[in-house]
Amino acid sequence: MISRNTDLAIALCLTLRVVYGLALRQTQGLMRSVAALMGFDIAVPDFSTLSRRSKGLALPSTKCRTTSGPVHLVVDSTGSKVFGEGEWLENKHKTKA
């Protein structure tokens, strides 16, 4: 069972919050639904814990976007990163669109 207070769990919840533009209570509900759908019996951080712990965590960059295009959440062994439309490909291939 994953501890509800790990930095990784908090960072994942807050990153998904930014990607989907959710309020803290909605983020808590999303994470509970995902855990239930996957059949996992894990503790999901509640909205007040997310609020308190968000102040001390370094989250992926969420640059101001002028377009309403898609947002890409990339998760790999180095962590998670948030990219706007085309930014991921530019970063991956070191090119400019």
Side-chain angles (χ1 to χ4, degrees):
M1 191 155 153
I2 296 176
S3 171
R4 68 187 310 173
N5 294 322
T6 63
D7 285 347
L8 180 61
I10 301 293
L12 174 63
C13 291
L14 293 173
T15 300
L16 290 174
R17 174 182 186 239
V18 169
V19 169
Y20 290 111
L22 301 173
L24 290 172
R25 287 180 193 258
Q26 291 172 326
T27 303
Q28 176 187 351
L30 171 68
M31 297 307 294
R32 285 185 177 169
S33 295
V34 168
L37 286 171
M38 296 178 74
F40 293 145
D41 183 24
I42 59 173
V44 173
D46 60 64
F47 69 94
S48 61
T49 301
L50 292 174
S51 177
R52 278 194 319 272
R53 296 285 301 278
S54 68
K55 295 172 182 78
L57 289 179
L59 296 175
S61 173
T62 55
K63 303 173 193 169
C64 286
R65 311 227 185 270
T66 57
T67 64
S68 61
V71 175
H72 302 276
L73 173 62
V74 179
V75 181
D76 61 12
S77 62
T78 63
S80 61
K81 297 166 190 74
V82 178
F83 295 102
E85 184 176 13
E87 286 181 279
W88 179 78
L89 288 173
E90 289 175 12
N91 190 7
K92 179 181 176 187
H93 298 293
K94 305 296 184 219
T95 62
K96 284 285 182 189

